[in-house]
Structures are given as structure tokens and as C-alpha cells.
Amino acid sequence: MKEKLEAIKSEALAKIENADVLASLNDVKVAILGKKGELTQVLKGMKDVAPEDRPKVGQMVNEARTAIEAALEAKTKAINQAVRTEKMKRETIDVTLPGTKKLIGHRHPNQIALEDLERVFIGMGYEIVDGPEVEYDKYNFELLNIPANHPAKDEQDTFYINKEILLRTQTSPVQARVMEKGKLPIRILSPGRVFRADEVDATHSPSFHQVEGLVIDKGITMADLKGTLQQWAKEFFGENTKVKFRPHHFPFTEPSAECDITCFKCGGKGCRVCKGSGWIEILGCGMVHPKVLRDCGIDPEVYSGFAFGIGLERVTLLKYEIDDMRLLYENDMRFLSQF
Amino acid sequence: MNTPLSWIKAYVPDLDVTAQEFVDAMTLSGSHVENYEKKDKNLEKIVVGKILKIERHPDADKLVVCQVDIGASEPIQIVTGAKNVKEQDVIPVVLDGGKVAAAHGDNNEYPDGIKIKKGKLRGVESNGMMCGIEELGSSRDFYPEAPEDGVYVFPENAGVKPGDDAVKALGLDDVVVEYEITSNRVDCFSIIGMAREAAVTFDKPFCPPEIKATGNDEDVNDYVSVEVQAPDLCPRYCARVVKNLKIGPSPKWMQERLASQGIRSINNLVDITNYVMEEYGQPMHAFDLSTIAGNKIIVRRANDGDKFVTLDGQERMMDHDILMICDGEKEIGIAGIMGGENSMVTDEIQTLLFEAACFDGTNIRLSSRRIGLATDAAAKFTKGLDPNLAIEAINRACQLIEEMGAGEVVGGVVDVYPNPVEPKVLPFEPDKMNALLGTDVEPDKMLYYFDKLGLSYDKDSNMITVPTFRQDLNCMADLAEEVARFYGYDNIPVSLPRGEATVGKQPYDHMINQIARTVLEGNGFSGGMCYSFESPKVFDKLLIPEDSDYRKTVEISNPLGEDFSIMRTVSLNGILTSLATNYNRKNKIARLYEFGNVYLPKALPLTELPEERMKLTIGMYGKGDFFTLKGVIEELCEKVGLKNQCTYEPTKEHTFLHPGRQANITKGKLNIGFIGQLHPECCDNYNIKSEVYVAVIDMPTLVMLSSFDVKYEGIAKFPGSTRDLSMVMDKSIFVGQIEAIIKKCGGKLLESYKLFDVYEGEQIADGKKSVAYTMTFRAKDRTLETAEVDKIVEKILKELGKLGIELRA
């Protein structure tokens, strides 16, 4: 009996060992462990075994069964693994083939620069405000201390619709509109399209964008103006950016300044972008002229404020090293897709 | 404004700075230096030489061999081809290893100059080169004594000797600084003004020329009288007379200073007026007294239609707003702009009338433009001169006449100045100035700056007196700027605004724009930028009818040209032009969008501002069709809370679109925009040989309809019931009509519907099409009964039946 069991076991194990597909394993399982399987037959033949030997034989049968089952399971796992490995080998792909991509659109560089700029000032508590592009002379000039016959009102620079209505030459009229509403304190940023009678060339466009900033409150100083713009420059152009203020003249601010930043290309050493000076002229600014405050209904003895105006295209051209302003208005896909 | 550093130094003698130090400091104190040029930047090792001997070159007919004394122990040998030199001539010589600015006989630019080395010319050693004025970087314009072709020869009275620095001897060792002077600083358009700024900037004494009393014991009033009939346009008119004139060249120093300003020396008279104009910023005019009828000057407005011949020989048309200088009979000059041919000064002049006047700047500016005559004098007057400058300038000119021996100045001045301008007086408010600047500048320091600037302080009244040449100083903030300029903008501390906190935010409509940008870019559309103004021809290009409201436009009265003459009322042209540019440049696919306003006049002619409406304009060609673009719009609507809420109504109203392929995008009665294929004729007009699809969204409407008010509705717990409908109908029926019925009859239980097939062809009769929908019904609170659903479907079919739509057999 013992020999028979050993024989069944070793034969089964050998078959299992030699099986290379799951079907062969199943055959072994049926032939040995199935209802009519050899081992099952042995169990069925227990009645012929002497009662005193039965426990021992039973144990031997179970041991054989356990061994065969374990071998079956191990082999099944091994075959499955081999099959999967083989499958995966066949499935190998060229991962360097290009990805499936939709057409991707790109944001206009001017818009990217504007959004970057807005983000910084919104973080500093500025509200974005729009104003009309076709504007009254009153807001574009008169309330900004640019009286009739001022050379800045020259027809050579300004597009007029009629005597009172024109295309705004700056975003500063929004200052006057906001001040006139009388809600204080004021902390606004007003980006938008402006117009000047310049023929189109590499550095000029009859239509371009400015970003105007205005802060009015009690106790606002020129030091605050410097600090604010320095903060912006660092956020916008990088932590190491330095800012320089030079006296200048605008009719609606006094004192007025032009602001230069260290060249972001060369860091101030001098290069092609900054024409060797290490500095780049970036904006005009100043303390709001007391006459402007007064004309807009704000008492300059109580309130003071500062304003600044950034030429957006200038920032865009510098930031992306674009050498011709016309590219911004041509909308050539080969240009736009680079941003 | 250009100033040679040497001229500035003449009035600020202690100024001892390099060119770089000068321009840096001047820029920081408010005189923005745009550029500066070292006149000697490419001139090296150039000395004065004297030709001792000239011999023929043994092997070249056109060359001579010279022995030149250069102040060294031995003369040097130089071979030259110049024909104008002779023995004993004193000439500039560039030595071996030196540099000159340009080559003789060509017009090329040499940014780094030309190196000169010793060598052999046809076998004879040459140790340097004799220089022509062009080789020294200048021209005969500024050195009229130089020969037209050949080596510069120093005049006998030049006072130079061999070995001297020739660059210095010629006055070429100078720096010319070019400033951007702001319009408020009228006083800085003069050497005196800039010298004053330099003196304060560098804290050095300012020494302007001392103007001495001039004139003989005669009385100018015996020579001429002046009557100003238009005092509004001529606040001041000063006249002096010079007799026994001796016309001749002006001295070298004056010629050099004029040369440094780019002004060519003419003769002592002309040079003096030019010199004073540069020095003081006051234009002057010289008349030949013998041509002035009645010895009388009358300043009055011209008559409309008068004709006048100016100095340059041109006849010009005058009008009543142009101010004229007249004599007892006729006009003799356009005030402040140009004199007349009839009173022109010639070399035969005996007696001269000097005019130094103040004319209204605005009037001169407008007149100069109207008659199309821009002169240096007009440019100066345009800025609005200080009337008190006129008397200084005319006296300075007479002083120069006397100093140069150019004539005999008649005593006295005719000075018509009915309303003298008095200096302004402003309170001294150091605390307010510090508060504005955020600084802590000592009041004494402020007063020190003011004093140097020519502003005086009266302690008893605590008032500052502002000289009349500083018309720009009118209030505390103006004075604060003066303090800041010389205290240094750099020294103002840095802080951030304190006070009430404010909320940073962007307007709601900007947020919707941002969503739209994101959707469009995700679908391959790139952001473009287009002009707000365009040509009225655009309407024809877009096939817009003559009577269309689109043609009611805001017109620019002074456009750059017809192409930029009207404010757009329809936004399409910009994007179409850009698509055309892309097509023309052979870009296979172009997808563009643009945010920009259209400008809709409320009434014409304009009495109030036009309505500005933000339009989102989308255009594409090369890939995709109507439904590609429609899908993008649907995505946009979904992203702003309008999923399945917009209707696409077929229309033919947009003339620029294909009549069978256009729709208005609506919600209820509101029009959000339109979409369609560009009309083939329009494509032709833009030269695009590809199908173009466009859409225009009216952003204010989209913004108004947008909604982000979402409430969670739970996820369906009960099973839904799905029904498919396959229908046959006339081809002309739009699926939109079917969907409207499905939606209406489906009621609350209709969860969704989806078109899954549109078919024409075999098995479908001609002129018919088959359309198939799948519909899902579901209730939130129970499982639907079959009969319930059947009833709804029946209702839908009944309604569809009214349109002749039948279930497909």
C-alpha cells in the first residue's frame, strides 16, 4: 500500500513538474485527485485495509494529497507567471513614439505679462478696474492737469473724435474716474488699451497697452511709492532686481520719477538688452499732483497718493526678447506658439 | 538739448569730473542724459607738426616726402599725397601707433577708428600721417578754413607750436552731452540753465557771464520805435540798435562752441545771435535798419489770406492767428518763426536792429504747424519763454558786439513790456515736504538747495521767492521735488503704504474671460491681438449691406490714414486679417481668438461716449469644421454654468457667413453671439483658399448669464429606463427642432437624450434622412414603470408627427 501511494505521488509530482501548460496540470489534478482519480481510488479502497492500519494509511494518503496539491498550486502560479511575462514581452512598445496630443493653443505674450503683473498687485491689495477706451478730454487731459493748448494734447499725438471726445492716450483717465467717485482709500490697478498717433514700426504702434496704478490714502509718501515698485520689481523680475528712481516730469504727478530696473538679462553688468548700461527704463511714476487731487474732489491737505504707469508691450518685448513690436499684432501662429 | 562739457565748465569753473561721472549725476538730478559723445574717442597720438622741407618722391609722381618738426629732437619723415601743403605749414600729425576717426576719401563709418602705423610708401619710409579735418572726425561745416581736399593747415594766428596736442588745439577734446529735457524745464533748454543744474548737482559755484552796461551816449529811441498791437501774443518786445557794423568772422572760441552745437559759423553778427540763443535759450532776430520803413516796428496779427515771403524765399499764406513783425509799411517777419526776405541782413548792412522778444508759446506752436515751418527759434518759443529773459539776452548780444568789435552799440533799449511778470512767492513748508517725500531732510538743507537754484528765502515772512525763469515751481509739491532732486531720489527711504487694508480682486467679467481663454487654449486656439480701428472698406470686404447699423461708426478726425480711420463696430476683421496672414505664410492650421471691444455710437455725430462692448472673436481654418467650433462654444458655455442651455438658431442674417451654415447662439430671448462658416466670397476677399469658421461671443451677455450657483443633487439611486428612437423625416428638418420637442415633452423624468445617428442614402427615400436618438428617463425617488415611460415617448412621437417625422419602419 505504502509503495503504491509513493508511486502515485512520485508519478504525479513528475507529471506536474513536466507540465508546461495549465491544461496538463488540470489533467494531473483529474487523474490523481478527481472523483475517479488514483488517490481517490485509494481512499475508496480503505475498506479493504485492516482497521488498525487505517489511520496510518489515511495519514499517508493525506500527506500525498497535500504534497500533490501544493505542487499543483506552485506550478499553476509559475505557469501563470510565465504566461504573463511572455505576454508582456510581446506587448513591449516604442515609448519614444510621440504622444497623442490635441491641438494646443497659446496665450498671447502680452496677456501672460499682464496676468503676471496683475497677480503681484492683487496680492498687495489692489483692485483691477477698467475704463473706457474712447474717453472725454476732461478725463484724459483736463482733470490730469493738462489744460487746453498743452503740447501733450497735440493732434500729432492724440486721435480725436471731436473736440471733447478722443481715444485715450494713457490709462491715467481711470485715475480721475476712480477718484471722482470719492470712495477712499484707493488702491487700484487699471490695465488697458491706449492710443497714440504713432506710425507702425518695430518699436511703435498706434495702439498699445498701459497698466496704471493708483494709491490714495492718508499719509502716503514717496517712500511708499519706491517701496511698492521695488516690491513689484522683485516679484516680477526676480528677487535680485534693483530699482533706481530718476527725476522726471508728468503733468499729473509731483514729484515725478522714471524708474529703471537692473537688467534681468545680465543682472546689471551690461548687455545687448540694456544697451550696455545695466539698467532698463521700465515705468513712469510720481506723487499725485495736489491740483489733480483737488480737481477730482479729494482734499490734498488730508490725502496724498502715488500713481505709476507701466508700458505693457515694453515689458513684454523685454521679458521675451522680442525684437519687433509688430509681431504682437500679426498673430502669426509660429510666433504665438512659442509662448 | 546738447551741451558740450567745455561750455558748461566755462560757467562752473570748479567742475572737475569725468564724462561718465557727469552724465550719471546729471541724470540722477533730473537732466536725463540720453547720449554722450566724446569727440576725441578715436583720436590718439595726434600732435601739431611743422613742415620743414618737402621733396619729390623718387618713385611716385603723386607723392611727396616731408620732414616734419613734431617738437622732438629730430624731425620725422612723412610721405603724403596731399597737394595743399607747403613748407612752413603747421598741420595736425598722427604718429605711429595713433588713431584717426575716419579715412580720407570714403564715407564709411569706423566705430573704432583707424590705427596708423609707420610703413613704407613706394619704398620710402613714412612715420605718420598728416590729417585732414574729416580724418579728425569733423567737417568743413565746423572748420570752414579747412581745405576742401587735403590736410588741415592751422591758421597763422592759431597760436600753436610743434609738439602741442592737436586735438586740444582744435577743440576736439570735448564731450557733447545730449539730454532729454522735460517740457516743464524751459530754463534748461539753454547752456546757462544746464550749467546752473550742473553747479547744484555737483555743489560747485555757478558763474554765469557778467552782463555789463553797453552802448554809446545816443538814444535808441531816436533810431526806432516799437508798437505792440497784440500784447496777448507778445508780452514783451525789446529792441536795440548797433551801427557802424564790421562784418567779419567771429573768434575761434565762438566758432568752436557753435560747432559743438552743430551750428556752422557764418559771420560775427549771425554767430552772436545763434550764440546767445544757445547760451540763454532766447532766440533773437537781426533786421537791417535801413530796410525798416519809418524806422518803426509794429507787432500785430496778420490778415487772413496775406501772402508773405520768408527768408528762405518761400511764399507762405498767413492768417489772423499768425503774429507778424511789421515796419511802417509792410510785414517784415513772422514773429518768432522766420524773418522776411524783404528785411534780410546782407553783407552791406550798416545799422542793425536787434530784436529779443517774448511770444506766446502756444500761438507760435500752432502757427508754426499751420504754415509748415519749423525753425530753431520757433522750437524755443514754443516752450513758453520767461519774458525777463529777453532783456538779458539782448544786452548779452550787445556786450558781445562790443567785445568783438563788431559794431557800435547805440545806448538804451526800447522795451515794450506792459505787464511785467513778477517772481512768485511760496510758503516754506519743510514738514509738509518731508511728509510727502517720506524723508527727514533738515529745513536748512532744503534752503541750501533753494539758494543754489536761485530761489531766495525771507525768514520774517517764511516765504520762498521763485525767480521768473522757474515757471514750473508753483506749489509745495513742486518745491518738494527740488528738494528730492538734490537730496537724491536714491536717498529717499523705502516703505510700503500703511493704513486701511484693501481687498485685492479682479472684476467678475475678467474671471469669465479667463475661463474662456483656458477653454479656447485647451482646444488649440491661441490668443491674438488686433487693432481697435480699421478701414471703412472692411464693411465691403465683409459684404455688409449699405444700410446696416454696422456702418454707423465712430470716426477718428485725424487718423493715421484710411486704414485706421474708424472704430470697429464688428470685431471680425482683425481675426480674419490675421488668419489671412497665416494662410499667406503657408501655416497649415490657424486657430485664433481675441478679446477686444467694438465701439457702438449711441447717436451720430457723437455727443456722448460710444458703448464699448467686449467681444470674444474666434476664427480657424485648416482642421475641423463647423461642429468642431460649435463643440468649443458648448464647452465654454458648460464651463460658465450654461450646460445644454443655449440654442443654436439657424439664420441667414449674417451676410459675411455661409447662408446655410450659420446660427445665432441664444438663451431665451438673449443673443449670446453667432457661429458659422465664412462666406466663400468673404474668403476670396481675404485671400484665404480654405474653409474658415468663425464665432463671435458677446461677452457682457455671456457674463450676465453665467452662473456658478451649484447645489449637489445626489447620485441617482434608482434604475433608469432607456428608449431608442429611430426616425425618418424631411432633410430640411433641423435636429434642434426634434430636441426642442424631446425636451419639452420629456419633462422632469427625461434625464438625458443623445443623438447617435444621422443617415441619408440607401434605404432612405430621396429628400429624407434618418435620425436616431437614445433617451434616458429616471425618477429620483422610485423605479419608473414601463407604462409611464411609454406614455412620455408616445407624447414625443405625437408632437414629432406634427412635423411629419415618423418612426423608421
Side-chain angles (χ1 to χ4, degrees):
Chain A
M1 194 65 191
K2 194 183 169 187
E3 291 74 27
K4 190 176 177 189
L5 276 172
E6 279 300 327
I8 292 171
K9 186 179 156 190
S10 61
E11 189 191 351
L13 290 180
K15 277 188 179 160
I16 290 167
E17 182 58 37
N18 292 330
D20 52 3
V21 293
L22 287 177
S24 329
L25 284 183
N26 203 40
D27 290 349
V28 175
K29 197 175 172 181
V30 171
I32 311 293
L33 305 175
K35 274 182 188 163
K36 291 178 180 166
E38 288 178 54
L39 211 55
T40 318
Q41 293 303 324
V42 173
L43 276 177
K44 279 181 183 167
M46 281 291 264
K47 57 184 188 297
D48 302 329
V49 176
E52 63 275 21
D53 291 337
R54 279 185 199 162
K56 207 178 168 192
V57 172
Q59 197 191 343
M60 282 166 63
V61 171
N62 275 337
E63 274 170 15
R65 187 185 181 92
T66 308
I68 292 165
E69 277 177 348
L72 273 171
E73 197 186 315
K75 189 67 184 179
T76 305
K77 212 172 161 184
I79 290 175
N80 274 336
Q81 195 146 359
V83 167
R84 178 168 288 169
T85 305
E86 180 57 32
K87 182 167 185 265
M88 288 193 296
K89 209 171 154 189
R90 286 197 311 273
E91 286 171 351
T92 301
I93 54 168
D94 179 357
V95 294
T96 64
L97 285 171
T100 313
K101 230 166 79 177
K102 318 209 282 183
L103 279 176
I104 297 291
H106 299 262
R107 202 154 289 199
H108 196 284
N110 227 32
Q111 180 66 22
I112 302 174
L114 174 61
E115 286 168 18
D116 287 349
L117 219 150
E118 286 183 345
R119 202 174 302 121
V120 178
F121 282 105
I122 289 173
M124 291 199 270
Y126 287 66
E127 184 179 349
I128 311 291
V129 179
D130 289 328
E133 293 165 5
V134 181
E135 183 56 285
Y136 289 113
D137 180 288
K138 177 183 154 191
Y139 290 105
N140 195 75
F141 290 130
E142 206 183 307
L143 284 175
L144 297 174
N145 197 23
I146 307 171
N149 288 326
H150 192 284
K153 292 186 64 171
D154 225 312
E155 274 199 22
Q156 282 169 336
D157 303 319
T158 308
F159 290 119
Y160 284 92
I161 305 299
N162 56 38
K163 263 188 117 122
E164 282 86 38
I165 298 175
L166 45 78
L167 304 190
R168 66 175 177 184
T169 59
Q170 46 192 1
T171 39
S172 308
V174 184
Q175 280 187 28
R177 284 180 174 271
V178 171
M179 282 191 266
E180 214 181 37
K181 281 188 187 144
K183 200 172 152 276
L184 291 158
I186 294 167
R187 209 175 274 200
I188 59 149
L189 192 76
S190 184
R193 223 173 251 229
V194 299
F195 307 88
R196 304 254 174 106
D198 285 323
E199 294 284 352
V200 179
D201 67 23
T203 53
H204 293 89
S205 166
S207 159
F208 56 101
H209 294 75
Q210 276 188 349
V211 181
E212 188 87 5
L214 176 71
V215 172
I216 311 258
D217 202 349
K218 288 173 186 158
I220 297 292
T221 69
M222 192 148 172
D224 296 337
L225 167 63
K226 280 184 70 179
T228 298
L229 291 173
Q230 183 173 309
Q231 181 95 356
W232 165 69
K234 281 175 185 289
E235 294 284 338
F236 193 80
F237 294 108
E239 192 52 39
N240 297 323
T241 309
K242 287 193 197 67
V243 181
K244 185 170 79 178
F245 290 81
R246 287 180 285 104
H248 198 71
H249 170 67
F250 303 107
F252 37 92
T253 51
E254 190 72 34
S256 304
E258 270 188 333
C259 173
D260 299 341
I261 57 160
T262 41
C263 178
F264 39 78
K265 176 92 175 159
C266 66
K269 288 196 277 295
C271 68
R272 194 177 51 83
V273 172
C274 58
K275 298 193 183 83
S277 72
W279 294 94
I280 287 175
E281 186 183 318
I282 208 79
L283 59 83
C285 58
M287 302 305 292
V288 181
H289 199 292
K291 184 172 190 314
V292 173
L293 288 173
R294 208 175 301 120
D295 289 351
C296 292
I298 295 173
D299 184 355
E301 296 292 326
V302 181
Y303 286 93
S304 58
F306 62 73
F308 55 86
I310 303 169
L312 185 59
E313 276 79 356
R314 177 164 174 73
V315 170
T316 306
L317 297 185
L318 286 168
K319 186 169 178 174
Y320 296 105
E321 295 180 35
I322 300 168
D323 55 4
D324 192 330
M325 195 166 172
R326 284 168 288 206
L327 287 164
L328 297 179
Y329 279 92
E330 274 181 352
N331 305 325
D332 189 320
M333 298 304 287
R334 295 167 300 177
F335 171 77
L336 295 174
S337 61
Q338 294 182 28
F339 300 95
Chain B
M1 178 71 201
N2 297 331
T3 66
L5 195 48
S6 61
W7 203 345
I8 297 290
K9 282 181 177 168
Y11 306 140
V12 191
D14 293 352
L15 190 63
D16 182 22
V17 288
T18 64
Q20 192 63 50
E21 287 165 349
F22 182 78
V23 302
D24 287 350
M26 290 301 279
T27 294
L28 284 180
S29 71
S31 306
H32 187 198
V33 173
E34 294 220 304
N35 233 321
Y36 70 98
E37 192 201 349
K38 284 180 161 167
K39 303 199 83 163
D40 57 356
K41 74 170 171 162
N42 287 323
L43 303 179
E44 284 172 21
K45 292 180 86 172
I46 300 172
V47 299
V48 175
K50 186 175 187 180
I51 303 172
L52 301 176
K53 201 165 155 195
I54 301 182
E55 289 166 323
R56 288 184 55 185
H57 189 288
D59 293 322
D61 291 346
K62 291 186 173 169
L63 296 176
V64 291
V65 181
C66 309
Q67 303 303 322
V68 181
D69 174 6
I70 54 158
S73 51
E74 292 287 320
I76 61 168
Q77 178 171 296
I78 295 175
V79 179
T80 183
K83 292 184 189 66
N84 68 317
V85 288
K86 56 185 191 304
E87 287 179 2
Q88 300 306 310
D89 274 354
V90 177
I91 40 84
V93 174
V94 56
L95 304 176
D96 177 40
K99 234 184 198 184
V100 292
H104 177 75
D106 73 22
N107 290 320
N108 297 343
E109 297 255 346
Y110 296 90
D112 299 317
I114 301 165
K115 273 248 174 210
I116 301 298
K117 282 187 199 134
K118 67 177 175 187
K120 283 186 177 170
L121 282 174
R122 289 281 183 99
V124 177
E125 195 170 293
S126 183
N127 294 303
M129 185 180 86
M130 301 184 212
C131 306
I133 199 68
E134 288 79 14
E135 285 157 332
L136 297 174
S138 191
S139 74
R140 289 190 70 227
D141 284 346
F142 307 123
Y143 294 88
E145 71 277 16
E148 238 173 81
D149 182 25
V151 167
Y152 179 84
V153 179
F154 283 100
E156 274 173 32
N157 60 358
V160 293
K161 60 177 194 308
D164 284 357
D165 182 340
V167 172
K168 215 169 193 167
L170 284 162
L172 288 168
D173 59 333
D174 206 354
V175 182
V176 176
V177 183
E178 184 190 347
Y179 310 87
E180 179 204 354
I181 302 295
T182 53
S183 62
N184 60 326
R185 290 303 304 275
V186 181
D187 60 309
C188 284
F189 289 94
S190 67
I191 302 288
I192 294 282
M194 290 315 300
R196 188 186 292 110
E197 285 288 312
V200 190
T201 301
F202 293 98
D203 196 12
K204 300 288 182 203
F206 172 52
C207 311
E210 197 184 328
I211 299 174
K212 298 184 195 91
T214 43
N216 58 20
D217 50 11
E218 290 180 275
D219 185 355
V220 68
N221 290 300
D222 296 336
Y223 283 80
V224 69
S225 67
V226 175
E227 184 190 342
V228 177
Q229 292 178 356
D232 54 329
L233 301 183
C234 176
R236 188 173 199 175
Y237 195 100
C238 300
R240 293 196 72 170
V241 170
V242 181
K243 62 179 196 178
N244 301 327
L245 286 163
K246 295 181 197 72
I247 304 287
S250 49
K252 195 71 195 155
W253 63 266
M254 182 175 274
Q255 290 188 16
E256 277 172 13
R257 283 185 180 170
L258 289 174
S260 70
Q261 294 291 85
I263 298 170
R264 200 155 55 92
S265 172
I266 308 283
N267 59 42
N268 48 6
L269 271 191
V270 178
D271 287 2
I272 285 172
T273 55
N274 282 334
Y275 185 83
V276 172
M277 178 160 89
E278 295 306 312
E279 192 178 43
Y280 281 83
Q282 167 74 50
M284 290 179 55
H285 192 72
F287 296 101
D288 183 340
L289 192 61
S290 69
T291 65
I292 294 176
N295 286 353
K296 192 173 183 185
I297 293 285
I298 299 168
V299 184
R300 60 161 174 83
R301 288 164 182 268
N303 299 310
D304 283 330
D306 279 358
K307 285 183 179 127
F308 184 70
V309 181
T310 41
L311 270 179
D312 54 5
Q314 293 244 14
E315 187 181 79
R316 299 172 192 275
M317 184 73 85
M318 299 295 109
D319 62 51
H320 192 58
D321 287 325
I322 294 174
L323 191 66
M324 301 300 293
I325 308 298
C326 310
D327 61 14
E329 292 167 355
K330 61 189 180 297
E331 288 98 349
I332 55 173
I334 305 174
I337 300 177
M338 194 179 263
E341 198 176 39
N342 56 11
S343 61
M344 200 159 69
V345 170
T346 61
D347 286 350
E348 280 74 54
I349 185 170
Q350 294 293 316
T351 309
L352 166 88
L353 174 79
F354 263 142
E355 164 202 289
C358 179
F359 301 116
D360 179 73
T362 303
N363 177 265
I364 298 289
R365 177 164 59 92
L366 299 175
S367 298
S368 161
R369 171 117 34 82
R370 262 197 327 281
I371 55 178
L373 183 55
T375 57
D376 287 347
K380 298 265 184 202
F381 281 119
T382 290
K383 298 179 170 52
L385 295 181
D386 171 16
N388 293 333
L389 197 58
I391 192 77
E392 273 187 77
I394 203 163
N395 289 337
R396 171 68 172 157
C398 289
Q399 180 186 8
L400 290 167
I401 292 272
E402 286 191 355
E403 283 176 7
M404 287 159 52
E408 185 183 349
V409 179
V410 172
V413 186
V414 182
D415 185 3
V416 183
Y417 191 21
N419 299 302
V421 174
E422 298 296 336
K424 261 169 301 204
V425 178
L426 298 173
F428 178 52
E429 299 167 306
D431 292 347
K432 284 190 184 175
M433 289 192 261
N434 274 323
L436 184 66
L437 299 174
T439 50
D440 204 8
V441 182
E442 290 291 327
D444 282 351
K445 188 142 199 183
M446 296 182 179
L447 290 173
Y448 180 75
Y449 298 139
F450 291 163
D451 181 55
K452 298 225 71 172
L453 285 165
L455 282 61
S456 57
Y457 173 61
D458 178 59
K459 204 168 177 184
D460 294 338
S461 60
N462 192 40
M463 295 303 248
I464 301 282
T465 302
V466 180
T468 54
F469 63 80
R470 289 303 302 273
Q471 299 170 3
D472 59 312
L473 301 180
N474 295 301
C475 64
M476 180 277 288
D478 293 328
L479 293 177
E481 185 176 73
E482 296 307 287
V483 171
R485 288 202 300 133
F486 297 106
Y487 179 69
Y489 276 30
D490 276 357
N491 295 324
I492 295 174
V494 167
S495 58
L496 285 174
R498 288 159 292 266
E500 202 177 313
T502 49
V503 178
K505 56 187 169 189
Q506 64 172 343
Y508 180 76
D509 57 332
H510 285 214
M511 202 184 88
I512 301 292
N513 293 357
Q514 283 299 37
I515 291 172
R517 286 180 211 279
T518 309
V519 168
L520 286 157
E521 285 158 18
N523 284 288
F525 291 82
S526 291
M529 210 156 73
C530 305
Y531 287 121
S532 305
F533 26 57
E534 54 196 20
S535 163
K537 285 183 187 139
V538 162
F539 299 122
D540 294 337
K541 253 176 129 173
L542 291 174
L543 315 174
I544 288 170
E546 287 298 327
D547 60 349
S548 166
D549 278 351
Y550 281 134
R551 289 189 187 251
K552 291 178 185 152
T553 60
V554 175
E555 282 177 44
I556 298 168
S557 67
N558 58 332
L560 281 182
E562 200 198 19
D563 285 354
F564 299 104
S565 64
I566 58 160
M567 301 306 285
R568 62 185 187 175
T569 52
V570 53
S571 63
L572 272 175
N573 176 61
I575 281 293
L576 292 178
T577 305
S578 298
L579 288 179
T581 302
N582 277 284
Y583 186 82
N584 183 39
R585 294 179 184 176
K586 312 236 177 325
N587 292 332
K588 287 200 177 74
I589 299 173
R591 288 187 177 185
L592 290 169
Y593 75 85
E594 188 225 349
F595 280 95
N597 284 328
V598 294
Y599 307 82
L600 310 172
K602 290 167 190 161
L604 282 176
L606 222 53
T607 51
E608 57 179 314
L609 298 186
E611 186 188 3
E612 293 178 16
R613 281 191 90 83
M614 181 59 76
K615 297 283 178 181
L616 165 58
T617 310
I618 313 169
M620 63 181 223
Y621 74 75
K623 190 182 176 195
D625 58 15
F626 181 93
F627 299 103
T628 313
L629 186 52
K630 185 175 171 183
V632 176
I633 306 289
E634 285 171 330
E635 187 179 328
L636 167 61
C637 289
E638 183 166 343
K639 287 281 187 190
V640 298
L642 293 171
K643 184 181 180 180
N644 292 338
Q645 291 186 43
C646 299
T647 310
Y648 291 78
E649 288 174 4
T651 177
K652 295 186 190 328
E653 74 183 76
H654 305 290
T655 49
F656 40 81
L657 297 180
H658 188 304
R661 295 185 174 183
Q662 54 171 286
N664 284 326
I665 307 161
T666 60
K667 181 172 191 285
K669 283 182 179 149
L670 291 172
N671 201 332
I672 301 172
F674 60 81
I675 175 174
Q677 182 184 333
L678 194 67
H679 198 291
E681 197 178 327
C682 250
C683 275
D684 288 348
N685 292 344
Y686 284 91
N687 271 321
I688 306 174
K689 292 173 182 56
S690 169
E691 287 181 0
V692 174
Y693 296 91
V694 294
V696 176
I697 304 293
D698 183 61
M699 290 310 292
T701 308
L702 189 73
V703 167
M704 189 186 69
L705 292 171
S706 66
S707 163
F708 300 91
D709 190 14
V710 176
K711 296 279 182 291
Y712 174 61
E713 286 184 333
I715 294 165
K717 290 195 190 85
F718 295 92
S721 178
T722 311
R723 296 296 161 88
D724 289 352
L725 287 181
S726 188
M727 300 160 283
V728 179
M729 64 200 75
D730 280 346
K731 236 172 105 170
S732 62
I733 289 177
F734 292 108
V735 294
Q737 294 170 275
I738 302 172
E739 288 178 4
I741 289 168
I742 294 176
K743 230 152 106 180
K744 195 178 109 209
C745 302
K748 272 188 185 168
L749 295 179
L750 176 71
E751 185 183 72
S752 65
Y753 58 88
K754 194 168 188 292
L755 176 77
F756 70 87
D757 188 38
V758 179
Y759 176 76
E760 290 170 41
E762 254 182 79
Q763 297 167 352
I764 303 290
D766 245 12
K768 300 265 183 186
K769 66 181 171 187
S770 152
V771 174
Y773 272 92
T774 182
M775 298 175 290
T776 304
F777 300 89
R778 195 190 305 270
K780 277 185 185 154
D781 51 351
R782 67 204 152 89
T783 304
L784 284 177
E785 306 272 341
T786 311
E788 255 181 306
V789 178
D790 287 347
K791 215 172 137 191
I792 300 171
V793 173
E794 250 170 62
K795 201 171 146 195
I796 291 172
L797 284 172
K798 195 176 157 198
E799 283 297 311
L800 290 174
K802 290 179 186 167
L803 295 176
I805 299 174
E806 292 166 359
L807 274 181
R808 194 171 164 191

